[in-house]
């Protein structure tokens, strides 16, 4: 079939050249007017058609073009392709830019609102003891923010450290009649897992909070990668062969005294498939990336919803504190058995004060009307509905680019393959060659553009790799696992100790993670704090603090 079409095409072209020689020379005034309308400022446009022996791209029969005109048509063709790709990809690029900004603002404001809410409620409930130890919580939120914004923070270590710091502060406050030294606190830390001073709160919070942060951070990073890839790939670099084909398609009708005749649709498709062959090769990896983004969006809507995890963090931390306070006598007794009886502080009056005198108010969360307004003036659910709809529309974007550019209203005369009123590259008539498939390897016999299929575009291959890496990370986040690409030497935990995933969960996707800092240690405290030796103890490490916030976030969703 292809052979018959090629023969017909050859005969058609030959016939048009022969018959064209018998035609009377056309007047070129229409070409001059059309050129001026397009912004060209040619000094010499022939009044009538002349011999086209000087032309290098357009048919060399009778012509209305000079060499200068053909050269400028070539320059304009290159620019117009760049503009066409830019225009066609505008919605794609602007969507990723705007949604990345919106999600980033939302998550950061959510963190800020949560920290503000916790601080206000703890000041109101615990007063001075909390204020003298508030850096424990400030550091927690600082580390959570650092993790979210891409910092190399191990969530598991951070959360464990937070709970350790909180235990030290609270034990010191609850036993202010004794001198609690650094060595003694170190001894206490050895019994933390056995004592479980905060009950089950840290354990319950850990999985939910860590997974919520992993998914939130990875999703925003995914939007960022999509934004960058779309922006870079939309900047087209045209080969000389592509520019020749574009010139022949878009401006050779001018030289034939037919400036109003548009290219045949299939002709346009073959030209664009040749010029944009490398972009089409991005599509398989792009589609997998879009699918992975949609999967992670489902997680954000469901069990890993960071908004529902963050809201009750203050309540859950206070619950952990109250648990330790209620069991402080038994806890202190067990610690004394393991670490020995500490020395009395010698502060008689103070040592006799009851715990209820230090923490005389139970925690009172905000009523719904008192809670801070939703972050960024919207909700996570609304943001996700919007972005999911957009992402689905952008699948197969790069392979569909030739069709989008060659739409009749934009560039071509129509979609009919038998249309004899369009420019076929040689004259006004039908275009017979078949439309090629997408991608570089399928352009080996492109009838319009000479494409070297042995030399893939290095820049496009870099973008393919960027998408592949991000897709890997998204799939790990879907399973609740973190992955640090910048440190492949840490071949440790494939699933992450705080992922809350089973073995089956880890192997759901065939992607191996490197270091998995996704684990969030138990955290749920804001305990009895007072101006005592505890106030002078070093602030908990950033990792610790981040744990606290993470854990509390998860609890909210769990106990809501």
């Amino acid at each position: 079939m292809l052979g018959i079409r090629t023969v017909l095409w050859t005969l058609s072209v030959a016939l048009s050249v022969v018959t064209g020689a018998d035609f009377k020379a056309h007047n070129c005034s229409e070409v001059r007017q059309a050129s001026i309308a397009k912004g060209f400022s040619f000094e010499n446009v022939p009044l009538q058609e002349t011999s086209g022996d000087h032309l290098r791209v357009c048919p060399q029969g009778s012509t209305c073009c000079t060499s200068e005109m053909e050269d400028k048509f070539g320059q304009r063709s290159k620019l117009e392709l760049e503009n066409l790709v830019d225009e066609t990809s505008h919605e794609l690029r602007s969507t990723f830019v705007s949604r990345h900004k919106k999600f980033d603002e939302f998550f950061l404001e959510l963190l800020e609102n949560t920290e503000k809410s916790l601080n206000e409620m703890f000041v109101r409930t615990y007063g001075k003891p909390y204020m003298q130890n508030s850096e424990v919580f400030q550091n927690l939120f600082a580390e959570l923010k650092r993790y979210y914004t891409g910092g190399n923070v191990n969530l598991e270590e951070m959360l464990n450290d937070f709970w350790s710091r909180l235990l030290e502060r609270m034990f010191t406050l609850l036993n202010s009649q004794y001198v609690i030294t650094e060595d003694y606190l170190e001894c206490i830390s050895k019994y933390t897992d056995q004592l479980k001073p905060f009950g089950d709160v840290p354990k319950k919070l850990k999985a939910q909070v860590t997974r919520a942060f992993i998914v939130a951070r990875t999703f925003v990073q995914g939007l960022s990668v999509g934004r960058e890839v779309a922006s870079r790939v939309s900047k087209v670099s045209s080969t000389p062969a592509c520019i020749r084909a574009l010139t022949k398609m878009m401006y050779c009708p001018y030289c034939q005294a037919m400036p109003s005749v548009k290219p045949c649709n299939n002709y346009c498709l073959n030209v664009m498939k040749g010029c944009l062959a490398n972009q089409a090769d991005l599509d398989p990896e792009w589609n997998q990336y879009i699918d992975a983004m949609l999967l992670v969006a489902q997680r954000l809507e469901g069990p890993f919803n960071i908004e529902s995890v963050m809201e009750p963090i203050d309540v859950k931390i206070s619950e952990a504190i109250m648990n330790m306070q209620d069991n402080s006598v038994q806890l202190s007794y067990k610690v004394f058995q393991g670490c020995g009886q500490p020395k009395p502080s010698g502060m008689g009056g103070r040592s006799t004060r009851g715990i209820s005198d230090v923490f005389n108010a139970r925690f009172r969360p905000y009523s719904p009307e008192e809670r801070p307004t939703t972050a960024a003036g919207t909700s996570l659910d609304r943001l996700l509905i919007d972005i999911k709809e957009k992402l689905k529309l952008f699948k197969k974007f790069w392979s569909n680019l030739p069709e989008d550019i060659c739409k009749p209203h934009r560039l071509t005369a129509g979609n009919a393959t038998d249309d004899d009123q369009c420019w076929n590259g040689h004259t006004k008539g039908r275009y017979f060659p078949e439309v090629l498939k997408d991608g570089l390897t399928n352009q080996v016999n492109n009838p319009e553009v000479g494409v070297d299929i042995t030399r893939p575009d290095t820049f496009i291959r870099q973008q393919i790799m960027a998408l592949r890496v991000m897709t890997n990370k998204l799939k790990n986040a879907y399973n609740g696992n973190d992955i640090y690409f910048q440190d492949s030497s840490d071949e440790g935990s494939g699933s992450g100790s705080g992922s809350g995933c089973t073995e089956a969960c880890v192997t759901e996707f065939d992607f191996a993670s490197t270091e998995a800092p996704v684990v969030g240690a138990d955290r749920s405290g804001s305990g009895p704090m007072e101006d005592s030796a505890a106030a002078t103890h070093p602030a908990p490490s950033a990792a610790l603090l981040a744990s606290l916030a993470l854990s509390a976030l998860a609890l909210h969703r769990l106990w809501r």
Side-chain angles (χ1 to χ4, degrees):
M1 183 64 180
L2 180 59
I4 295 175
R5 289 199 177 201
T6 303
V7 171
L8 290 173
W9 171 243
T10 304
L11 290 173
S12 173
V13 171
L15 184 60
S16 68
V17 172
V18 171
T19 56
D22 296 334
F23 284 161
K24 183 178 179 180
H26 290 90
N27 186 295
C28 296
S29 59
E30 187 179 353
V31 175
R32 178 189 298 273
Q33 294 172 1
S35 297
I36 293 173
K38 291 281 287 186
F40 291 102
S41 57
F42 298 131
E43 294 183 1
N44 298 304
V45 176
L47 296 177
Q48 288 190 327
E49 288 183 327
T50 61
S51 172
D53 294 342
H54 55 282
L55 299 180
R56 293 171 297 171
V57 177
C58 296
Q60 292 186 331
S62 299
T63 184
C64 285
C65 287
T66 63
S67 296
E68 175 208 14
M69 292 171 66
E70 191 181 50
D71 288 342
K72 289 190 175 180
F73 283 151
Q75 296 169 14
R76 177 65 66 84
S77 297
K78 178 179 182 296
L79 180 62
E80 288 193 11
L81 175 63
E82 294 172 357
N83 290 339
L84 283 167
V85 174
D86 182 79
E87 176 187 339
T88 306
S89 63
H90 175 74
E91 183 181 2
L92 170 71
R93 290 180 287 112
S94 62
T95 295
F96 275 96
V97 169
S98 62
R99 272 45 173 198
H100 173 266
K101 181 181 179 183
K102 193 67 175 178
F103 272 92
D104 192 49
E105 289 176 349
F106 177 84
F107 289 132
L108 287 174
E109 191 171 321
L110 185 64
L111 273 173
E112 292 173 1
N113 286 350
T114 302
E115 182 177 12
K116 180 181 178 182
S117 174
L118 182 145
N119 182 70
E120 290 178 353
M121 285 187 250
F122 278 34
V123 167
R124 182 178 63 183
T125 302
Y126 301 122
K128 190 175 181 181
Y130 164 72
M131 290 185 283
Q132 290 178 330
N133 295 274
S134 61
E135 77 276 5
V136 173
F137 305 95
Q138 293 169 359
N139 290 341
L140 167 65
F141 282 99
E143 284 300 286
L144 286 175
K145 182 176 180 180
R146 192 164 75 88
Y147 172 83
Y148 168 75
T149 55
N152 190 2
V153 176
N154 186 306
L155 291 180
E156 179 178 13
E157 292 179 0
M158 178 188 66
L159 292 172
N160 286 336
D161 191 43
F162 167 78
W163 289 109
S164 296
R165 291 295 184 204
L166 190 57
L167 172 60
E168 293 173 3
R169 298 295 180 94
M170 288 191 60
F171 188 85
T172 302
L173 289 171
L174 292 169
N175 293 276
S176 58
Q177 67 271 35
Y178 298 105
V179 176
I180 308 297
T181 64
E182 291 291 334
D183 290 340
Y184 199 86
L185 291 173
E186 185 176 346
C187 177
I188 295 175
S189 65
K190 298 176 182 178
Y191 295 93
T192 302
D193 292 339
Q194 177 183 339
L195 296 172
K196 294 186 178 180
F198 300 111
D200 292 332
V201 171
K203 181 179 179 180
K204 291 179 178 179
L205 283 175
K206 180 168 63 176
Q208 290 187 352
V209 170
T210 53
R211 291 184 303 186
F213 265 78
I214 290 165
V215 168
R217 181 173 83 160
T218 307
F219 188 74
V220 170
Q221 288 177 347
L223 290 174
S224 176
V225 168
R227 178 193 65 189
E228 294 304 314
V229 170
S231 175
R232 291 167 182 167
V233 178
S234 296
K235 293 179 173 60
V236 181
S237 178
S238 304
T239 64
C242 171
I243 295 173
R244 287 175 60 86
L246 290 168
T247 305
K248 184 178 179 181
M249 180 182 75
M250 293 193 283
Y251 285 106
C252 284
Y254 283 61
C255 299
Q256 299 294 92
M258 297 182 290
S260 61
V261 177
K262 290 187 175 183
C264 301
N265 184 261
N266 285 357
Y267 173 35
C268 176
L269 287 175
N270 275 340
V271 171
M272 291 303 168
K273 283 175 182 285
C275 288
L276 301 174
N278 283 285
Q279 279 78 2
D281 280 349
L282 188 76
D283 229 35
E285 206 63 54
W286 175 263
N287 293 338
Q288 288 191 46
Y289 154 77
I290 293 293
D291 287 339
M293 286 290 290
L294 290 170
L295 284 173
V296 173
Q298 290 177 11
R299 288 299 205 207
L300 275 172
E301 286 180 313
F304 299 177
N305 186 314
I306 193 172
E307 186 176 28
S308 61
V309 165
M310 287 292 281
E311 283 182 0
I313 191 170
D314 43 22
V315 177
K316 298 310 170 185
I317 292 175
S318 183
E319 181 178 327
I321 291 172
M322 294 302 180
N323 184 80
M324 181 173 176
Q325 178 180 333
D326 292 343
N327 298 284
S328 61
V329 175
Q330 301 93 315
L331 177 66
S332 296
Y333 176 75
K334 292 179 180 179
V335 170
F336 295 162
Q337 280 187 320
C339 298
Q341 186 85 11
K343 295 180 181 180
S345 64
M347 300 175 63
R350 183 164 182 166
S351 64
T352 60
R353 292 173 59 187
I355 292 174
S356 60
D357 295 330
V358 179
F359 300 98
N360 53 13
R362 301 301 290 185
F363 185 75
R364 294 179 296 104
Y366 280 131
S367 61
E369 60 272 14
E370 290 179 301
R371 279 202 169 275
T373 56
T374 306
T378 185
S379 69
L380 184 58
D381 288 342
R382 286 197 293 270
L383 289 175
L384 289 170
I385 289 172
D386 168 68
I387 192 62
K388 285 197 305 179
E389 291 176 353
K390 292 292 186 181
L391 288 174
K392 291 174 184 176
L393 294 176
F394 295 140
K395 288 195 68 174
K396 298 184 178 181
F397 177 84
W398 303 105
S399 60
N400 288 335
L401 198 53
E403 284 83 358
D404 291 337
I405 289 176
C406 292
K407 286 180 179 178
H409 69 278
R410 176 174 290 174
L411 197 59
T412 64
N415 293 316
T417 56
D418 60 347
D419 187 1
D420 60 359
Q421 298 301 308
C422 56
W423 174 252
N424 60 24
H426 298 274
T427 188
K428 183 167 69 173
R430 298 180 184 180
Y431 182 78
F432 288 98
E434 293 182 351
V435 177
L436 301 180
K437 294 181 180 180
D438 302 309
L440 188 64
T441 58
N442 291 314
Q443 307 309 308
V444 62
N445 293 317
N446 192 309
E448 311 304 335
V449 187
V451 181
D452 185 353
I453 66 170
T454 66
R455 300 183 63 184
D457 188 302
T458 303
F459 179 76
I460 296 295
R461 267 48 197 178
Q462 291 173 349
Q463 307 313 306
I464 290 174
M465 181 55 66
L467 288 172
R468 187 169 298 160
V469 170
M470 191 65 242
T471 300
N472 186 357
K473 191 169 185 179
L474 287 163
K475 289 182 176 181
N476 274 278
Y478 176 84
N479 287 331
N481 305 324
D482 215 346
I483 180 166
Y484 281 174
F485 295 107
Q486 70 267 30
D487 190 1
S488 58
S489 62
D490 292 333
E491 298 184 321
S493 43
S495 67
S497 51
S499 68
C501 255
T502 62
E503 258 184 78
C505 173
V506 176
T507 58
E508 182 173 347
F509 291 100
D510 293 328
F511 285 85
S513 61
T514 57
E515 181 187 28
V518 272
V519 208
D522 300 353
R523 103 163 129 37
S524 82
S526 83
M529 302 163 190
E530 191 175 52
D531 58 337
S532 66
T536 62
H537 190 80
S541 78
L544 227 235
L545 296 175
S547 314
L548 170 60
L550 287 176
S551 304
L553 288 179
L555 268 185
H556 169 57
R557 188 166 191 80
L558 182 65
W559 289 316
R560 185 175 243 186

